[in-house]
Amino acid sequence: MVQWIRHRKKGRIRMEQERPSASYIIDMLPPLARITKAAETIPAKHLHSSLNKIKHPVNVVKWTPEGRRLLTGSSSGEFTLWNGMSFNFETIMSAHESAIRAAVWSHSDDWLVSADQDGVIKYWQPNFNNVKAIQAHEAPIRDLAFAPNDSKFVTASDDATLKIWDFSRGSEESTLTGHGWDAKTVDWHPQKGLLVSGSKDHQVKLWDPRTSRCLTTLHGHKNMISKTSFEPVKGHLLATCAKDQTARIFDLRMMRDVLLLKGHERDIMTLTWHPIHSSLLSTGGADGALHHYLLDEPNPPDNTTPTVSPYDSIDPTNAPAQSIFPAHKVPHAHESAIWALDWHPLGHILASGSNDRITRFWTRPRPGDTEYYRDRYHLGDAAAEAQGTYSSNKRKQHARDNDDDEEADEDDGLEDQKMAPQRPGLPGLPGMMMAPLPGIGDGTSMGGAQLNLLPGMSTIPPPMSQYPPPSLPLDGRGMPDLSALFKQGQVPPPGSFGAPPPPGSFPPPPPGMLPPGFLPPPIPGFPGMQGFGGDADGASNDPRRKRAPLPSQADSLKEFTTKVGGNGKRW
């Protein structure tokens, strides 16, 4: 198809209008195939929104190392797994006893370490088997990071300290002190023995993990540091963001800030680097805005004078940082603060977790898509509804339908867990169990298999009450003769002890009983008593399982009042 579009005749004007141009088709490649074209990876289009039935703020979003699922950690202490392709709910598990504050995968992809509000750290295997728990801090743990060789990891806590831990032994190796207030974020350099931390004291510090010594302090922000992160591809740059509505890019070779990221109207709560494009950075704000920056494109707005990069300045040491504005904005990405951002390992999907209890997925728009910037996430609910690209009524109805479906699925799951295996009942008499026949079993098996019928039978056999009770031997043989026959390998002839005759030779049914295979009619005067294949009125033949409705609160109250005497005491 691609070759046909590329080499088709140019004279077909109608075909040129209906199909995208060949220049767009050949560029639809994964980010790894176009490392120098970061602009084509900007996740400007909303893919899907996922939220739990019981909604809690989402503090952590982490893709699994193979990219098949997204892991989210909430303030309820639960892990939720979402499918990485359909974005549907997969499972939920109780992970911590308090709010989950941080989680990180090891570089070997073999371990997940998570931290919570109570200062507890837990080790998890890829199958989410918890193997160890450590009381690391007495205060909440805000962030953690692995060393490049996974032998150690570091934690940042509200007790204003950083702690380095030996991963295999689960023991503390050293404590880094120097911040004057809560330590809110920490990161370990992807290739070097270098730590960076940010604190509520407005300072960014670089540390030597071997000597536990502070190497330098980077100034520039005027409020609490909310996130620090080393650039993962080349490792030369350091990104920081704070509650002063700005983010800064520091060059570790110059030990100074070279870029100043502007554009947010509220505090910046988190940021993340693209795993492949070293010039693409995404930030999330306290107002739910999602901004994407290209560090090699200033994108100054109208009536704004562009600034010069320190790299191009005559005096790089003293030149001011260059101002960078967003290459793309999603002003209404979330309804509340964005707490976490994480890229898919392939770099084509960005996941965001917010205080509005929703996890959202973003990706680049398809070639020729001109409608993505007219949705409610770019324009807002009111403007999008005015343009006809959004309907609040449909959204509410869709949310109600989703809630009803989730409740029904959960109720079905709980009901299925409570149902005990049952044996087949007498036809037309629900609740009357019949004894299992020889060779049939109790009618239950893995996967809900049906009854194993006797050879030669095509219907369910009639109840045992249709056969006469066992009688005395009719041929004069006694028990000693039978044991002799058994020792010789002989079997008594059929019917000797009143056993059921061979298949195909059933006696006629007694008066008032239906022949085998015939369905009895409903029993009059007994509501809810029906035969097989029909409801109480005999009008339905739906083979699906039906459940009786649960008793309502009003019915329970009526039943209680009938059992209470006039003096208000129970009989």
Side-chain angles (χ1 to χ4, degrees), residues 27-29 31 34 37-43 277 280 294 364-365:
D27 288 337
M28 292 188 65
L29 301 172
R34 41 183 176 78
K37 299 179 179 180
E40 298 178 4
T41 309
I42 295 178
H277 300 301
L280 179 57
L294 295 174
R364 64 170 182 167

Side-chain angles (χ1 to χ4, degrees), residues 8 49 110 163 171 236 290 365 417 422 446 482:
R8 68 185 186 275
S49 296
D110 294 332
K163 290 186 178 182
S171 59
H236 299 324
L290 182 61
Q417 293 176 9
Q422 297 180 355
M446 294 294 293
L482 286 177

